[in-house]
Amino acid sequence: MKILYAVIIAVFSTNLAYAQSFDEKYTTASNVGLTVSNLGIIGNAFNGSFDLEGFPSCKYPKDSDIEHIFDGGLWVGAKINGVTDAVTTGALDASSGYSTGRAGFEFSAPVGSQLLEKSSLFDSPVFDPSAVSHQDFIADFADTAIIVPGTNTPILDHNDPLDISVHMESYNWNFPFADYFVILNFRITNIGNQNLEDVYIGYWTDCIVRNLSITNVGSSGFFSRGGNGYIDSLHMAYEFDADPNLSSFTSSYVSTKFLGATDKTGFRHPKLDTNFRSHYSTWQFNNSSDPLYFFPQDDFARYAKMSNGLNFLPQFQSQIIPNIRTPSNRTHLVSTGPYANLAPGDYIDVAFAIVLAKKANDGQPAPADTDEQKSILIQ
């Protein structure tokens, strides 16, 4: 009997260790309830912690039932030694989000890794004088493993790791003037022995703006009512509920915005260098047949999306923007580059923000997506 108990305890302890390789918390300081993981993934795909622990995916306001994000993750693309196009994706089109070894979820962390939390608030139980915001989440992960650490499970289709490590910090505040966004700050380091050239860094997001008190997760039409857009001057991709019948129950925007970056040449931003660009791509969820809005299924196609945005096509404003405002199930990617070559030991700091806002009521239907409707988002 003692041997049986010992075996049970050993198995239980081992399973706990495995479970801690993927850790999630959600933001509570601001008015955004956003789930963040220790692999740089945001949102919980209305799965896992959503069902088991009652975590929001991305609620705004946080005490409402209005969700805004299915999931999202960091993308890093480069030419290995100037030849091979390779892209590491932290998340991509998957109907149930992250699971161990699933293709497209290519970052991992050592067994026992956790998402750390600290706060600049003196009365917080996790107060730390080094904290940046009222609630920081901190994690370290990498793309070097091709088998999920602590398991025998391969990471599917993860054939060309860039050999990068990522230090992530997310920030949110409870100030009334800063409670509508979460900042995602990444330091990406080349820990391999190959040069990474023509580097592009982006953040991919699968947004879904729905009121769960009106529409149940997974119900008919739940995922196919999003309208999309991109504001070039702000380097911001956004989504809203374009359902003319139900949009009055949501009336909000969610967006992914590039803030800026630093590499060995200095601060990088499109406003400072015309050769450094912000690229916007959107596509039909998991659709491989649309000639323009297709889901990129391999590294070559993903690198092409990262380095050649729809916003540089001549028909972007006249045809693409009106088209993507209509209700559908799309994901979007905001990518930036090219960055200076990332030699072994070099790093790049890059920051994105998840920004949410109420939609201003101008009397126009939801799919109109007028400047007045976006006025709170862009102010």
Side-chain angles (χ1 to χ4, degrees):
M1 185 63 72
K2 288 182 179 179
I3 294 176
L4 177 59
Y5 285 154
V7 170
I8 292 172
I9 291 171
V11 170
F12 182 72
S13 300
T14 301
N15 286 338
L16 276 180
Y18 288 169
Q20 289 178 349
S21 295
F22 184 78
D23 190 25
E24 292 177 315
K25 300 180 187 293
Y26 67 92
T27 57
T28 57
S30 67
N31 202 21
V32 180
L34 175 67
T35 290
V36 180
S37 87
N38 66 326
L39 302 182
I41 299 169
I42 61 171
N44 54 28
F46 308 123
N47 208 342
S49 61
F50 179 85
D51 291 323
L52 300 177
E53 301 179 74
F55 281 23
S57 194
C58 181
K59 283 187 178 180
Y60 177 80
K62 65 182 179 184
D63 59 354
S64 73
D65 285 326
I66 305 173
E67 288 282 7
H68 295 79
I69 289 175
F70 187 76
D71 63 355
L74 180 69
W75 284 33
V76 182
K79 293 182 180 292
I80 298 176
N81 291 326
V83 178
T84 304
D85 291 355
V87 177
T88 292
T89 56
L92 49 64
D93 303 35
S95 58
S96 56
Y98 172 84
S99 69
T100 303
R102 174 165 286 159
F105 296 82
E106 297 176 334
F107 287 114
S108 58
V111 172
S113 297
Q114 293 180 293
L115 187 65
L116 303 180
E117 180 179 357
K118 60 185 180 181
S119 173
S120 63
L121 297 173
F122 291 111
D123 59 351
S124 169
V126 290
F127 168 73
D128 189 313
S130 67
V132 173
S133 73
H134 293 160
Q135 187 183 37
D136 299 2
F137 292 151
I138 302 162
D140 291 280
F141 47 92
D143 79 336
T144 51
I146 58 175
I147 294 175
V148 178
T151 76
N152 295 318
T153 304
I155 302 174
L156 295 178
D157 300 331
H158 187 37
N159 302 317
D160 290 305
L162 293 172
D163 290 339
I164 54 174
S165 67
V166 181
H167 176 77
M168 179 197 76
E169 298 189 5
S170 72
Y171 311 128
N172 72 121
W173 291 264
N174 66 16
F175 296 127
F177 56 83
D179 68 352
Y180 56 92
F181 60 84
V182 177
I183 291 176
L184 305 173
N185 198 39
F186 302 98
R187 171 164 289 188
I188 300 161
T189 303
N190 182 351
I191 58 174
N193 56 15
Q194 303 181 99
N195 286 313
L196 303 179
E197 302 178 19
D198 295 326
V199 176
Y200 286 83
I201 300 171
Y203 206 83
W204 170 89
T205 320
D206 184 1
C207 297
I208 170 77
V209 185
R210 303 301 270 173
N211 190 326
L212 301 192
S213 65
I214 303 297
T215 309
N216 293 328
V217 173
S219 60
S220 177
F222 181 82
F223 294 105
S224 59
R225 296 293 184 266
N228 298 84
Y230 183 73
I231 304 173
D232 254 317
S233 61
L234 297 178
H235 316 289
M236 174 188 283
Y238 63 87
E239 183 161 323
F240 58 96
D241 186 348
D243 187 335
N245 299 314
L246 296 176
S247 59
S248 61
F249 295 102
T250 53
S251 298
S252 55
Y253 283 99
V254 58
S255 66
T256 306
K257 176 177 171 57
F258 171 67
L259 298 179
T262 303
D263 63 16
K264 58 189 175 185
T265 67
F267 183 70
R268 308 302 304 274
H269 197 279
K271 292 186 182 297
L272 303 177
D273 181 356
T274 56
N275 293 318
F276 181 86
R277 293 180 169 183
S278 174
H279 296 267
Y280 169 71
S281 291
T282 185
W283 54 82
Q284 297 295 124
F285 181 85
N286 217 11
N287 182 306
S288 60
S289 61
D290 192 289
L292 187 60
Y293 308 113
F294 65 91
F295 163 54
Q297 299 190 59
D298 56 36
D299 280 8
F300 181 81
R302 290 167 191 163
Y303 186 82
K305 291 279 190 183
M306 296 188 78
S307 56
N308 294 281
L310 294 174
N311 52 317
F312 290 101
L313 294 178
Q315 71 270 33
F316 182 66
Q317 291 295 339
S318 61
Q319 298 178 29
I320 293 175
I321 286 293
N323 183 284
I324 64 177
R325 279 177 175 152
T326 60
S328 190
N329 182 7
R330 305 182 189 91
T331 68
H332 65 228
L333 172 70
V334 177
S335 58
T336 57
Y339 290 88
N341 291 348
L342 201 61
D346 287 348
Y347 62 85
I348 298 170
D349 291 327
V350 60
F352 296 89
I354 305 301
V355 184
L356 298 103
K358 285 293 185 181
K359 179 184 285 189
N361 184 4
D362 65 352
Q364 298 297 311
D369 185 35
T370 64
D371 289 344
E372 177 62 26
Q373 290 175 344
K374 293 192 291 282
S375 60
I376 301 173
L377 176 68
I378 65 178
Q379 66 183 3

